[in-house]
Amino acid sequence: MTTITAPATTRRAPIRLSFAGLVQSEWIKLRSLRSTIWSFALMILLSAGIGLMMVSSFDTTSTDPEMFAMKPAQVVLIAAAGGTMVGQLIAGILGALVITGEYSTGMIRTTLTAAPKRTSAFLAKALVLFVSTLVVALVAAAASYLVVALVLMGRGQDAPLFDNDVLPHILGGAVYVAAVALFGLGLGTIIRSGAGAIAGTVGTLMVLPVVLQLIPADWVRDLFPYLLNSAGGRITGQMEDTAWTMGGDFLVVAAWVLVSLVLGLIALKRRDA
Amino acid sequence: MINATNLTKQYGAKTAVNGVSFSVKPGMVTGFLGPNGAGKSTTMRMIVGLDRPTAGTVTVNGKRYQDHAAPLHEVGVLLDAKAVHTGRSAYNHLRALAATHRIPVSRVREVIELTGLGAVAHKRVGGFSLGMGQRLGIAAALLGDPQTLILDEPVNGLDPEGVRWVRQLVRSLAAQGRTVLLSSHLMSEMAQTADHIIVLGKGRVLADAPVQDFISGAAAETVRVRSPRAAELGDALLRAAGAGTSTRIEPTGENELRVIGFSAANVGNAAAELGIPLHELTPIRASLEEAYMDLTANDVEYRTAAIADPALAQAVQETNR
């Protein structure tokens, strides 16, 4: 800091704000934080761990009619669903932290001076979060499947993957996990405090279903299938409801995510930073 | 060039900035002064679109900051050293910021070297000292090679070498024809750095003038006089000034006076006419600090109480001397 060198005046490529640049920036930001690395690593490890737990605890080979033997396909699905249920919590918390961490540290002011119109920065952040969470959720699902398949192979059994009632649930679960990350991002943008946003995200996923079940009114019961977590349960194949298709389930998820993101974006645009 | 017109910001019932108009011109360093709570930071935040004005407008080079195609190339801003995620390294922070505008990584390395952050660039910002945080903030402000620099308290927490470096840096940036708006509470530093001064007090512009005009306009002429017949001379000067003027005579010691409101020439002539010998006749140049204190005396938002403990008060006086 002793030499006085003027800032570079040599012109290189034109300096200009662009959406592609914002996406790259958000990607650098996301992967340069330890909390991201930990969250993603945890998603994969827990998914594999739950897979191992599930396949070990179910008997898939018994021919005794008195014993209830699981079909291998069912075990693959249950294992994947377990990973999804844990994965959604981690993803939701990560989504909330991605933005509340910027508020608590003051980073948000740097972000918004670089992109003063704000909308493009928010969309870039959402896009990067969604895609990277989706990739990690797919890897987590693959890890779970591999563990289950290896154990089943040891028992001389195949682990069906490309069945029509297996693969869509597994892929859908991964998309659902990535969507929950976006829900957390929107909630975090609205609430701005990390603790509040995490409580809100976990509360929506875990507490709201319990609370609704405690209220003995029919119209409350009718709301239950429209909860974010209920749609997730159906997508993973764990909550059977013939009245619902996967398209309908994803409409419910999209509604939760969109409301959260739109309210977050409105708040971000209107408030002083 | 920054142009603010009737800029106003209200937070609920409190008016932080109240109908402020000013322009910050290129090719010079403009100092932004004012007591805590005067509205300096709020004004700076409105310039870069972080706070939305309640009324009025502010433009940078003719456009609102938001409407520029390359905001970081237009304005480099240091608002506070805390606009950085503590979990990220300085290098990654700058790289992420650079990416938004497709600024090459070579420029990131350049500003890291320029601000002396080379040794800590890959450490997490959470462990940085205040001074290191400031250097990182300055590096971020310079990243886009901006035409306009807005620096809020850039020397806060810097070591003397860093303070001097910032002074030289902003002087050289202004010499290149760039616009520099700089706030600081260090008056002596500001006096050495700024060409022009804008003073805010309670959300209004109290002064907007070249530094020299500001100093001579705000503070009355002061002369230190030593004479064996000091008291006699003081009385004569007071009579000459007449009633109702701002002239004051303050005895500062045995045979010593502080004469406020007379030039050294006038005091010397008066003494010669009366045949009073002078042992010393020194014009005291007003400082920016004195001029500033005079101006803002009534506009301080958060006033400190007078120091009640006599021993402490004396100690403070001695340090001020």
Side-chain angles (χ1 to χ4, degrees):
Chain A
M1 203 144 148
T2 43
T3 48
I4 272 294
T5 316
T9 43
T10 44
R11 279 273 61 79
R12 286 161 278 219
I15 292 175
R16 166 173 279 271
L17 179 62
S18 66
F19 187 71
L22 284 169
V23 170
Q24 198 198 346
S25 172
E26 290 299 334
W27 171 232
I28 295 171
K29 278 156 76 173
L30 187 67
R31 66 193 161 90
S32 59
L33 287 181
R34 285 187 197 170
S35 55
T36 311
I37 308 299
W38 279 113
S39 301
F40 283 164
L42 209 57
M43 269 171 74
I44 296 168
L45 284 177
L46 285 178
S47 180
I50 289 168
L52 183 62
M53 237 168 58
M54 292 291 180
V55 72
S56 314
S57 57
F58 288 117
D59 183 0
T60 49
T61 52
S62 171
T63 47
D64 185 351
E66 298 285 305
M67 296 288 287
F68 179 74
M70 277 273 200
K71 287 191 201 121
Q74 282 176 301
V75 177
V76 168
L77 266 190
I78 288 178
T84 303
M85 286 302 118
V86 175
Q88 65 169 353
L89 288 178
I90 299 173
I93 290 170
L94 176 68
L97 285 180
V98 156
I99 187 74
T100 57
E102 292 213 12
Y103 276 106
S104 64
T105 57
M107 179 66 198
I108 190 73
R109 289 191 287 277
T110 298
T111 302
L112 296 183
T113 22
K117 286 199 199 294
R118 302 187 182 185
T119 307
S120 54
F122 186 69
L123 294 182
K125 195 181 273 299
L127 178 67
V128 167
L129 178 68
F130 181 79
V131 172
S132 40
T133 309
L134 178 60
V135 168
V136 172
L138 287 171
V139 171
S144 163
Y145 174 79
L146 276 180
V147 169
V148 173
L150 279 175
V151 173
L152 288 177
M153 199 194 289
R155 298 175 189 168
Q157 289 180 307
D158 284 338
L161 174 64
F162 295 100
D163 280 20
N164 273 343
D165 46 2
V166 175
L167 192 59
H169 290 300
I170 291 180
L171 296 182
V175 176
Y176 168 72
V177 167
V180 171
L182 289 184
F183 175 74
L185 173 68
L187 210 58
T189 314
I190 299 165
I191 296 175
R192 287 192 285 188
S193 114
I198 291 172
T201 307
V202 175
T204 305
L205 292 171
M206 309 296 285
V207 184
L208 201 57
V210 177
V211 172
L212 285 203
Q213 277 179 322
L214 290 177
I215 302 172
D218 278 350
W219 65 270
V220 173
R221 197 144 301 155
D222 293 345
L223 288 180
F224 196 77
Y226 296 96
L227 294 182
L228 183 56
N229 194 48
S230 307
R234 291 193 299 270
I235 288 168
T236 55
Q238 292 314 291
M239 264 162 71
E240 301 261 353
D241 190 337
T242 47
W244 285 85
T245 63
M246 195 168 282
D249 297 334
F250 270 112
L251 270 183
V252 171
V253 173
W256 280 90
V257 170
L258 277 180
V259 168
S260 164
L261 284 181
V262 168
L263 290 181
L265 181 58
I266 291 173
L268 182 73
K269 291 279 280 184
R270 290 172 61 101
R271 281 190 302 227
D272 291 335
Chain B
M1 176 80 113
I2 302 170
N3 277 303
T5 311
N6 198 25
L7 200 56
T8 300
K9 181 68 192 183
Q10 285 175 318
Y11 296 108
K14 181 161 171 62
T15 304
V17 176
N18 193 352
V20 161
S21 297
F22 61 85
S23 58
V24 182
K25 296 181 188 64
M28 60 169 85
V29 177
T30 300
F32 210 26
L33 302 181
N36 291 334
K40 299 185 301 293
S41 294
T42 304
T43 302
M44 287 173 153
R45 293 155 56 83
M46 283 193 285
I47 297 173
V48 292
L50 285 177
D51 282 13
R52 188 197 303 259
T54 311
T57 55
V58 59
T59 60
V60 182
N61 293 333
K63 278 190 202 171
R64 288 193 315 158
Y65 178 75
Q66 296 91 300
D67 296 333
H68 283 286
L72 290 186
H73 184 43
E74 210 61 48
V75 180
V77 64
L78 166 76
L79 286 179
D80 46 38
K82 269 179 47 217
V84 181
H85 199 299
T86 41
R88 209 171 269 127
S89 72
Y91 175 73
N92 279 329
H93 171 73
L94 292 171
R95 217 157 54 94
L97 187 58
T100 61
H101 282 58
R102 297 284 189 201
I103 296 167
V105 178
S106 58
R107 177 61 181 163
V108 171
R109 297 207 187 89
E110 237 170 67
V111 294
I112 284 174
E113 286 312 310
L114 185 66
T115 51
L117 285 171
V120 294
H122 292 278
K123 298 221 161 76
R124 295 199 302 157
V125 176
F128 275 24
S129 66
L130 182 57
M132 279 300 167
Q134 287 288 27
R135 285 165 194 250
L136 178 57
I138 294 168
L142 294 174
L143 192 59
D145 188 19
Q147 196 52 41
T148 301
L149 264 293
I150 296 175
L151 306 173
D152 197 0
E153 302 274 351
V155 300
N156 188 18
L158 286 187
D159 52 27
E161 188 262 329
V163 172
R164 196 175 72 173
W165 178 79
V166 168
R167 186 200 313 145
Q168 291 169 340
L169 176 76
V170 298
R171 299 285 336 151
S172 77
L173 291 169
Q176 292 167 12
R178 297 176 207 250
T179 307
V180 181
L181 179 63
L182 175 78
S183 85
S184 176
H185 289 299
L186 298 179
M187 290 298 148
S188 55
E189 190 49 43
M190 192 59 102
Q192 288 184 69
T193 310
D195 305 295
H196 195 95
I197 294 285
I198 295 173
V199 184
L200 288 192
K202 289 190 177 163
R204 292 180 177 280
V205 174
L206 300 181
D208 183 348
V211 172
Q212 277 319 311
D213 294 8
F214 173 71
I215 292 173
S216 49
E221 275 181 301
T222 304
V223 183
R224 185 166 68 229
V225 183
R226 282 203 308 130
S227 163
R229 289 156 66 190
E232 193 183 328
L233 177 61
D235 290 343
L237 288 171
L238 269 183
R239 274 197 306 280
T245 61
S246 62
T247 302
R248 292 205 313 276
I249 310 287
E250 292 169 357
T252 49
E254 201 181 340
N255 301 332
E256 201 176 295
L257 297 176
R258 227 170 115 88
V259 180
I260 299 147
F262 271 102
S263 68
N266 289 340
V267 176
N269 290 344
E273 272 173 36
L274 297 168
I276 295 174
L278 293 182
H279 294 175
E280 183 186 346
L281 181 61
T282 312
I284 298 175
R285 190 178 295 251
S287 67
L288 178 63
E289 178 169 341
E290 286 162 336
Y292 168 81
M293 289 298 186
D294 278 0
L295 184 71
T296 55
N298 298 318
D299 292 283
V300 176
E301 182 88 353
Y302 307 102
R303 190 180 298 279
T304 42
I307 298 168
D309 180 350
L312 187 58
Q314 197 184 351
V316 168
Q317 255 177 9
E318 268 158 23
T319 19
N320 283 346
R321 205 164 278 165

